[in-house]
Amino acid sequence: MYRDEIIEEVWKNREAYAASHNHDLTKIVDDLMARQKKSGRKLVDRRSIPDRVADTDDIDSPLQPEKPCGK
């Protein structure tokens, strides 16, 4: 089986991070939220953006049938 050293390192770091918080999800989330605030970066919460159905009427696509002229 192929051994991916990068993936193994990611898993090792993930395990060490979880262990540093006693595998307590609440503590992990609190730490990540604190790091997020401390970063000062502008973050976007995409959950607040409503789902929109794409309007494809104005898009020319080879997958769409041609519209008759004059209609």
Side-chain angles (χ1 to χ4, degrees):
M1 179 177 199
Y2 177 74
R3 184 173 165 218
D4 191 329
E5 295 168 1
I6 295 172
I7 296 298
E8 287 181 4
E9 184 176 349
V10 169
W11 288 345
K12 183 181 82 174
N13 290 335
R14 179 188 62 188
E15 176 59 29
Y17 179 76
S20 72
H21 293 89
N22 297 318
H23 298 276
D24 184 336
L25 189 55
T26 301
K27 290 179 183 179
I28 292 171
V29 170
D30 289 344
D31 179 57
L32 292 172
M33 299 281 285
R35 288 176 181 225
Q36 181 175 302
K37 284 183 181 179
K38 186 178 178 182
S39 75
R41 294 180 180 169
K42 181 179 179 183
L43 302 169
V44 177
D45 183 357
R46 297 200 180 272
R47 294 175 298 181
S48 63
I49 299 173
D51 290 336
R52 296 183 306 193
V53 176
D55 182 11
T56 58
D57 288 344
D58 297 335
I59 299 174
D60 292 328
S61 169
L63 299 176
Q64 293 178 339
E66 289 186 26
K67 295 178 185 174
C69 294
K71 287 190 177 185

